[in-house]
Amino acid sequence: MAEHRTEISSIGEFGLIDHLTKNNETKNASTILSVGDDAAVLDHFGKQIVVTTDMLIEGIHFDLMYTPLKHLGYKSVIVNISDVYAMNATPAQITMSIAFSNRFSLEALDEFYEGVYAACEKYNVDLVGGDTTSSQKGFIISVTAIGEVAPDKFVKRKGAKKGDLICVSGDLGGAFLGLTLLEREKKIYLETKGVQPDLENQDYIVGRILKPEARKDVIDFFSVNDILPTSMIDISDGLSSELLHICKQSEAGCILYEEKIPVNDIARQFAYKLELDPTACALSGGEDYELLFTIDQKDYSKVNTNEQLRVVGHITEKDAGSKIITKGGNEHKLTAQGWNAFG
Ligand code: ADP
Ligand code: MG
């Protein structure tokens, strides 16, 4: 199937920016001026704002052999707004900067932007600018997200105190298992040319790595139920690494119960098939983009009404250290073996 290929050089940088943003419309009152000038203008009407930025580099964070560009566009927005939600804030704007080699056609960038706009639509975020340039090799993506929060309602990593309950949203380890599956199928494909990948019945874990969602629902739940977590972080590097960040910044210890860590059934079965420990996948996998937070015990009855939220442990004194109690009742020191771009 010969798809049409338009060289970027045939439309130029400004032509490309116009093309990529021609249907871009604003959704938020805080967006005063969007794409097209030297800078965007935002007015947050007495709210506090949070700003966060993240880069995604081809070959380090994603592999285009098995990552559709549309999914990549979607995910590059999600990973950034997930950081905004982790502050208990609501994302309102993003900027999107891209660098790409001449391997990328206009049609390829259109696919990428389809995903970008789909995420912006779903999460009610305005794309208000960015930068466009070339790279010698590979695709580089940098996204900045801006969010709003009512004065002094933002939630930091610091703030967890002894007795607080440790909670997570959704389930963990699925994204790592999806990545493991895609890497395995890629290897088989490269070694035996022509063999089509066997992704049968693995939609759930493949979806977890290729098309993650951000937990807007959890932030909305806090707002509706008048809950202010004492600390919060999003799970991009694995539960243990993130929990240790909270403990370190809060100058606290923790006890985590293995039996309480939520792992999806399909993910668990797939882990067993690969002879991997599902708990290890949840602790050290990563890219699940769930929220990890602590609450005061008084909020337990409220949190307990939400099926998406699980209590997995509690905060202790700093001197007690950070521990995990296994299903067999053994106690281990919690160590961070989260995913590391330099590892
Ligand atoms: P300047 O030279 O002032 O930086 P540019 O020509 O780089 O301006 O960009 C023109 C406008 O297009 C700006 O509003 C910028 O934020 C926006 N823009 C540039 N690249 C992108 C992109 N990849 N996606 C969205 N907006 C972009
Ligand atoms: Mg520029």
Side-chain angles (χ1 to χ4, degrees):
M1 192 176 72
E3 275 189 35
H4 188 62
R5 178 184 166 94
T6 308
E7 296 298 333
I8 305 295
S9 56
S10 72
I11 55 168
E13 179 190 335
F14 301 132
L16 173 63
I17 297 171
D18 283 347
H19 174 87
L20 293 177
T21 57
K22 63 177 183 284
N23 297 319
N24 189 30
E25 284 171 9
T26 58
K27 310 169 199 69
N28 292 289
S30 52
T31 309
I32 306 293
L33 184 66
S34 180
V35 171
D37 215 301
D38 293 320
V41 179
L42 316 177
D43 180 342
H44 286 268
F45 308 102
K47 290 186 174 166
Q48 292 176 343
I49 71 164
V50 302
V51 181
T52 172
T53 191
D54 260 306
M55 293 185 82
L56 288 106
I57 313 284
E58 184 178 357
I60 305 286
H61 302 99
F62 59 88
D63 185 333
L64 288 176
M65 252 192 88
Y66 53 71
T67 311
L69 280 161
K70 185 173 171 182
H71 289 69
L72 182 63
Y74 194 87
K75 184 168 176 175
S76 63
V77 176
I78 295 300
V79 304
N80 276 274
I81 64 177
S82 174
D83 281 322
V84 174
Y85 290 125
M87 299 300 293
N88 196 36
T90 302
Q93 288 89 13
I94 58 159
T95 63
M96 168 65 66
S97 300
I98 49 176
F100 47 86
S101 68
N102 58 13
R103 177 160 64 93
F104 292 83
S105 65
L106 181 62
E107 288 72 22
L109 294 179
D110 274 340
E111 244 186 272
F112 177 81
Y113 263 76
E114 245 184 78
V116 170
Y117 284 120
C120 285
E121 203 55 49
K122 176 153 184 185
Y123 290 89
N124 194 46
V125 170
D126 294 329
L127 170 69
V128 297
D131 200 18
T132 303
T133 189
S134 52
S135 80
Q136 268 189 342
K137 203 167 155 278
F139 193 25
I140 298 167
I141 304 156
S142 172
V143 180
T144 296
I146 295 158
E148 316 173 340
V149 59
D152 303 319
K153 294 288 183 195
F154 61 89
V155 176
K156 301 188 288 187
R157 295 175 179 184
K158 177 183 171 144
K161 58 183 193 312
K162 185 182 169 189
D164 284 357
L165 302 174
I166 303 168
C167 309
V168 297
S169 65
D171 56 72
L172 301 174
F176 172 78
L177 286 159
L179 179 63
T180 306
L181 172 64
L182 290 170
E183 285 287 341
R184 187 188 75 173
E185 294 305 319
K186 173 187 167 182
K187 196 158 166 271
I188 295 172
Y189 177 82
L190 289 176
E191 281 168 5
T192 39
K193 278 276 180 215
V195 172
Q196 284 306 307
D198 175 17
L199 303 177
E200 195 106 15
N201 298 324
Q202 299 300 351
D203 296 5
Y204 183 73
I205 57 173
V206 170
R208 290 291 278 167
I209 185 73
L210 292 183
K211 193 173 178 288
E213 299 290 350
R215 294 316 298 248
K216 174 184 193 305
D217 60 319
V218 176
I219 297 321
D220 291 344
F221 176 79
F222 291 155
S223 163
V224 168
N225 291 280
D226 203 16
I227 298 168
L228 194 62
T230 51
S231 71
M232 184 153 57
I233 188 168
D234 73 329
I235 306 181
S236 52
D237 292 342
L239 177 59
S240 54
S241 160
E242 314 300 1
L243 185 51
L244 289 171
H245 281 307
I246 284 186
C247 288
K248 185 169 182 212
Q249 298 220 13
S250 300
E251 297 181 63
C254 66
I255 291 187
L256 185 64
Y257 294 93
E258 180 186 15
E259 63 181 3
K260 306 226 161 129
I261 299 174
V263 177
N264 170 277
D265 276 339
I266 301 170
R268 187 184 300 280
Q269 292 314 318
F270 185 68
Y272 289 144
K273 208 171 139 188
L274 295 187
E275 299 185 356
L276 290 172
D277 174 10
T279 303
C281 296
L283 288 175
S284 306
E287 297 217 66
D288 288 312
Y289 298 103
E290 295 295 344
L291 291 172
L292 169 67
F293 57 94
T294 55
I295 53 162
D296 189 283
Q297 284 181 19
K298 72 170 165 43
D299 288 326
Y300 172 71
S301 55
K302 290 183 188 170
V303 164
N304 196 32
T305 62
N306 188 328
E307 286 195 345
Q308 288 292 311
L309 305 178
R310 290 269 182 283
V311 175
V312 294
H314 59 267
I315 296 293
T316 58
E317 274 167 8
K318 186 183 179 188
D319 291 346
S322 299
K323 305 272 169 59
I324 179 166
I325 311 287
T326 66
K327 286 176 183 161
N330 294 317
E331 192 181 287
H332 291 282
K333 189 169 182 255
L334 197 63
T335 53
Q337 291 164 327
W339 187 83
N340 181 349
F342 304 100

